[in-house]
mmCIF file of all heavy atoms in Angstrom:
data_model
loop_
_atom_site.group_PDB
_atom_site.id
_atom_site.type_symbol
_atom_site.label_atom_id
_atom_site.label_comp_id
_atom_site.label_asym_id
_atom_site.label_seq_id
_atom_site.Cartn_x
_atom_site.Cartn_y
_atom_site.Cartn_z
ATOM 1 N N ASN T 95 95.180 105.002 104.503
ATOM 2 C CA ASN T 95 96.578 105.017 104.704
ATOM 3 C C ASN T 95 96.891 104.088 105.857
ATOM 4 O O ASN T 95 96.154 104.092 106.879
ATOM 5 C CB ASN T 95 97.184 106.394 104.970
ATOM 6 C CG ASN T 95 97.149 107.322 103.730
ATOM 7 O OD1 ASN T 95 97.364 106.850 102.672
ATOM 8 N ND2 ASN T 95 96.802 108.517 103.927
ATOM 9 N N PHE T 96 97.910 103.311 105.738
ATOM 10 C CA PHE T 96 98.389 102.397 106.829
ATOM 11 C C PHE T 96 99.854 102.481 106.958
ATOM 12 O O PHE T 96 100.564 102.409 105.982
ATOM 13 C CB PHE T 96 97.839 101.025 106.519
ATOM 14 C CG PHE T 96 98.300 100.012 107.451
ATOM 15 C CD1 PHE T 96 97.610 99.761 108.671
ATOM 16 C CD2 PHE T 96 99.429 99.131 107.261
ATOM 17 C CE1 PHE T 96 97.926 98.852 109.510
ATOM 18 C CE2 PHE T 96 99.795 98.223 108.247
ATOM 19 C CZ PHE T 96 99.074 98.109 109.390
ATOM 20 N N THR T 97 100.273 102.500 108.257
ATOM 21 C CA THR T 97 101.729 102.486 108.524
ATOM 22 C C THR T 97 101.816 101.414 109.500
ATOM 23 O O THR T 97 101.190 101.337 110.530
ATOM 24 C CB THR T 97 102.228 103.795 109.114
ATOM 25 O OG1 THR T 97 101.950 104.809 108.249
ATOM 26 C CG2 THR T 97 103.712 103.654 109.538
ATOM 27 N N GLY T 98 102.728 100.448 109.082
ATOM 28 C CA GLY T 98 102.878 99.242 110.043
ATOM 29 C C GLY T 98 104.364 98.917 110.256
ATOM 30 O O GLY T 98 105.272 99.232 109.447
ATOM 31 N N SER T 99 104.564 98.356 111.456
ATOM 32 C CA SER T 99 106.005 97.892 111.792
ATOM 33 C C SER T 99 105.714 96.701 112.650
ATOM 34 O O SER T 99 104.913 96.621 113.440
ATOM 35 C CB SER T 99 106.786 98.972 112.432
ATOM 36 O OG SER T 99 106.315 99.350 113.610
ATOM 37 N N GLY T 100 106.689 95.775 112.488
ATOM 38 C CA GLY T 100 106.647 94.485 113.262
ATOM 39 C C GLY T 100 107.648 93.503 112.729
ATOM 40 O O GLY T 100 108.319 93.797 111.798
ATOM 41 N N ARG T 101 107.612 92.340 113.429
ATOM 42 C CA ARG T 101 108.498 91.260 113.029
ATOM 43 C C ARG T 101 107.678 90.274 112.227
ATOM 44 O O ARG T 101 106.601 89.989 112.483
ATOM 45 C CB ARG T 101 109.042 90.625 114.204
ATOM 46 C CG ARG T 101 110.022 91.549 115.020
ATOM 47 C CD ARG T 101 110.902 90.654 115.956
ATOM 48 N NE ARG T 101 111.778 91.596 116.697
ATOM 49 C CZ ARG T 101 113.098 92.008 116.136
ATOM 50 N NH1 ARG T 101 113.359 91.513 115.027
ATOM 51 N NH2 ARG T 101 113.742 92.730 116.850
ATOM 52 N N LEU T 102 108.421 89.722 111.114
ATOM 53 C CA LEU T 102 107.817 88.748 110.323
ATOM 54 C C LEU T 102 107.588 87.474 111.144
ATOM 55 O O LEU T 102 108.577 87.053 111.804
ATOM 56 C CB LEU T 102 108.696 88.414 109.132
ATOM 57 C CG LEU T 102 108.304 89.140 107.838
ATOM 58 C CD1 LEU T 102 108.717 90.642 108.035
ATOM 59 C CD2 LEU T 102 108.941 88.521 106.672
ATOM 60 N N VAL T 103 106.493 86.894 111.121
ATOM 61 C CA VAL T 103 106.135 85.775 111.887
ATOM 62 C C VAL T 103 106.758 84.448 111.378
ATOM 63 O O VAL T 103 107.218 83.536 112.061
ATOM 64 C CB VAL T 103 104.544 85.453 111.904
ATOM 65 C CG1 VAL T 103 104.201 84.234 112.632
ATOM 66 C CG2 VAL T 103 103.880 86.692 112.651
ATOM 67 N N ARG T 104 106.846 84.457 110.000
ATOM 68 C CA ARG T 104 107.531 83.394 109.226
ATOM 69 C C ARG T 104 108.018 83.946 107.971
ATOM 70 O O ARG T 104 107.734 85.026 107.545
ATOM 71 C CB ARG T 104 106.546 82.103 108.982
ATOM 72 C CG ARG T 104 105.398 82.476 108.142
ATOM 73 C CD ARG T 104 104.335 81.368 108.053
ATOM 74 N NE ARG T 104 103.641 81.127 109.322
ATOM 75 C CZ ARG T 104 102.601 81.860 109.637
ATOM 76 N NH1 ARG T 104 102.169 82.905 108.978
ATOM 77 N NH2 ARG T 104 102.076 81.546 110.848
ATOM 78 N N ASN T 105 108.769 83.221 107.268
ATOM 79 C CA ASN T 105 109.317 83.560 105.955
ATOM 80 C C ASN T 105 108.111 83.861 104.975
ATOM 81 O O ASN T 105 107.147 83.216 105.109
ATOM 82 C CB ASN T 105 110.125 82.536 105.325
ATOM 83 C CG ASN T 105 111.526 82.348 106.018
ATOM 84 O OD1 ASN T 105 111.937 83.277 106.665
ATOM 85 N ND2 ASN T 105 112.206 81.274 105.733
ATOM 86 N N ALA T 106 108.327 84.836 104.107
ATOM 87 C CA ALA T 106 107.278 85.166 103.171
ATOM 88 C C ALA T 106 107.109 84.063 102.082
ATOM 89 O O ALA T 106 107.978 83.318 101.885
ATOM 90 C CB ALA T 106 107.599 86.446 102.478
ATOM 91 N N VAL T 107 105.911 84.111 101.467
ATOM 92 C CA VAL T 107 105.575 83.079 100.475
ATOM 93 C C VAL T 107 105.092 83.870 99.256
ATOM 94 O O VAL T 107 104.202 84.834 99.422
ATOM 95 C CB VAL T 107 104.690 81.974 100.869
ATOM 96 C CG1 VAL T 107 105.339 81.120 102.025
ATOM 97 C CG2 VAL T 107 103.421 82.517 101.340
ATOM 98 N N VAL T 108 105.366 83.348 98.035
ATOM 99 C CA VAL T 108 104.730 83.884 96.801
ATOM 100 C C VAL T 108 103.346 83.299 96.681
ATOM 101 O O VAL T 108 103.121 82.036 96.935
ATOM 102 C CB VAL T 108 105.559 83.451 95.604
ATOM 103 C CG1 VAL T 108 104.846 83.947 94.283
ATOM 104 C CG2 VAL T 108 106.896 83.970 95.708
ATOM 105 N N ASN T 109 102.350 84.146 96.530
ATOM 106 C CA ASN T 109 100.879 83.617 96.468
ATOM 107 C C ASN T 109 100.865 82.864 95.095
ATOM 108 O O ASN T 109 101.544 82.985 94.141
ATOM 109 C CB ASN T 109 99.923 84.675 96.626
ATOM 110 C CG ASN T 109 99.893 85.728 95.545
ATOM 111 O OD1 ASN T 109 100.734 85.695 94.638
ATOM 112 N ND2 ASN T 109 98.977 86.501 95.610
ATOM 113 N N LYS T 110 99.655 82.031 95.072
ATOM 114 C CA LYS T 110 99.465 81.151 93.992
ATOM 115 C C LYS T 110 99.569 81.706 92.523
ATOM 116 O O LYS T 110 100.255 81.212 91.684
ATOM 117 C CB LYS T 110 98.111 80.468 94.058
ATOM 118 C CG LYS T 110 97.891 79.541 95.268
ATOM 119 C CD LYS T 110 96.601 79.046 95.380
ATOM 120 C CE LYS T 110 96.285 78.398 96.761
ATOM 121 N NZ LYS T 110 94.880 78.034 96.886
#
Side-chain angles (χ1 to χ4, degrees):
N95 291 321
F96 177 81
T97 301
S99 65
R101 292 198 179 271
L102 268 71
V103 174
R104 64 188 66 81
N105 288 342
V107 295
V108 176
N109 64 351
K110 294 177 191 173

